[in-house]
Amino acid sequence: MSSPVENVVIIGTGCAGLTAAIYTARASLNPLVLEGPLPGGQLTTTSEVENFPGFPHGVDGFQLTQNMREQATRFGTRFESALVDKVDFTSMPRKLFCGDRVILAKTVIIATGASPRLTGIPGEKELYGGKGVTTCATCDGAFYRKMEVAVLGGGDSAAEEALFLTRFASKVYLVHRRDTLRASKIMADRAVAHEKIQCVWDSVPVEVLGVPEGAVRGLRVKNVKTGVETVLPVKGIFVAIGHIPNTAPFAPPLDIDEGGYFIPQPGSQVQTNVPGVYVAGDCSDHVYRQAITAAGMGCAAAIEAERWLAEHHAE
Ligand code: NAP
């Protein structure tokens, strides 16, 4: 089954996708937004967002994306549930395959986000999101004032999250499965030297405690060299063992780096190696990963798509 040719198809309904929808809808491009398995994106898994400009008293993450969605709808955006599993960008219009369905588009904005990698240990899933297990210190760190917390991982994210959390927490355990951090030297040195950070080397998380109570009350860790298990008396657990960008259906033909993130063309944040195809948000950003930066990239992608259409499909 084929559809009429769309001006712009936006894949994803997180901050990046919804911002692209607002801009392209206001430009009278009648965008079609394809909604995947997590409508609203990662922001909907956060309770309170205190750092999105314009909300001096904070805003509920789910509410924020609902607001963006309403704003996009108001200007004529259409939403449909569809999971893109394959693309053909070799000719115009571009083809997006969703099972048996083929969607045709002059321009495409991919804003499929990234999924935080989780450890899979018992208790993690049950206490994820508002109950003590989280993947975003910037979002949730302020809820752990004067409490002990643990950060899992040894990369730049883990070091950065641990350092950020020292502003609030009374103590930060940095739990890493080896005895040296993978993080860049400057970040690793800072984290290791910080008086509030205690590195728990050669240790893997084994179980999050607190499921019956509905809130984290500890983390059981195991030393991989000695086999000894201990319980860290933490109220918050920040999992920072990397992200999995949702780029698989698009690469190839789109270029991705070794971590799976889209690689924009030199000099652009959003232009891909295929003309008229743009990327925005966490699927191409492993550095900032904030709602506001994703929204900014969505805006940039929308403006680029609009310009491209004006140049190539002026009627
Ligand atoms: P990363 O560099 O892939 O590090 C992931 C860490 O998690 C590693 O230390 C890894 O251990 C550990 N890990 C992975 N799976 C695990 C598991 N199942 N159980 C326990 N530990 C596990 O990821 P990242 O820190 O998110 O960084 C991703 C990229 O973004 C990097 O290129 C990084 O430099 C960049 N980044 C940059 C900044 C910045 O410049 N400010 C900030 C954040 C991220 P091993 O070390 O043993 O493999």
Side-chain angles (χ1 to χ4, degrees), residues 66-306:
Q66 273 302 108
N67 291 354
M68 291 186 194
R69 196 186 169 105
E70 248 182 75
Q71 199 173 350
T73 305
R74 184 181 147 211
F75 296 110
T77 301
R78 294 162 297 138
F79 289 88
E80 287 182 25
S81 286
L83 198 58
V84 176
D85 46 46
K86 199 171 65 171
V87 294
D88 179 356
F89 292 160
T90 53
S91 59
M92 284 299 286
R94 307 303 184 198
K95 292 192 187 73
L96 305 169
F97 297 90
C98 312
D100 292 341
R101 184 175 171 202
V102 184
I103 297 173
L104 306 175
K106 294 176 189 170
T107 63
V108 179
I109 297 175
I110 302 168
T112 44
S115 310
R117 185 173 279 132
L118 294 173
T119 64
I121 58 173
E124 179 185 54
K125 198 167 136 205
E126 293 88 333
L127 297 175
Y128 185 80
K131 293 178 186 163
V133 180
T134 167
T135 51
C136 180
T138 317
C139 318
D140 298 330
F143 301 124
Y144 296 90
R145 277 177 212 280
K146 300 198 171 107
M147 298 181 202
E148 297 197 4
V149 299
V151 174
L152 313 184
D156 275 318
S157 294
E160 199 169 71
E161 303 246 310
L163 285 163
F164 182 78
L165 287 164
T166 59
R167 299 180 198 186
F168 313 104
S170 54
K171 183 170 187 173
V172 180
Y173 297 96
L174 183 52
V175 181
H176 184 35
R177 61 187 177 185
R178 296 184 293 119
D179 62 0
T180 47
L181 296 177
R182 172 186 294 280
S184 53
K185 185 166 168 15
I186 184 164
M187 293 296 285
D189 287 350
R190 256 187 230 162
V192 171
H194 200 287
E195 57 180 8
K196 275 193 181 177
I197 297 177
Q198 180 181 325
C199 293
V200 183
W201 299 120
D202 298 315
S203 296
V204 290
V206 176
E207 183 186 2
V208 179
L209 306 176
V211 174
E213 299 89 334
V216 169
R217 65 172 170 81
L219 174 70
R220 189 186 304 284
V221 296
K222 179 181 172 183
N223 185 300
V224 290
K225 287 190 173 154
T226 62
V228 173
E229 291 194 358
T230 44
V231 172
L232 307 176
V234 295
K235 295 272 194 296
I237 297 170
F238 292 79
V239 186
I241 60 170
H243 281 73
I244 305 167
N246 302 316
T247 55
F250 312 99
L254 299 189
D255 293 338
I256 54 169
D257 65 17
E258 69 286 350
Y261 292 87
F262 289 125
I263 308 174
Q265 292 295 284
S268 169
Q269 266 200 318
V270 297
Q271 172 67 61
T272 69
N273 50 308
V274 176
V277 177
Y278 306 92
V279 290
D282 287 12
C283 58
S284 67
D285 170 20
H286 58 71
V287 179
Y288 303 112
R289 294 196 294 242
Q290 298 301 299
I292 188 65
T293 49
M297 291 170 80
C299 162
I303 291 173
E304 291 299 331
E306 196 186 331

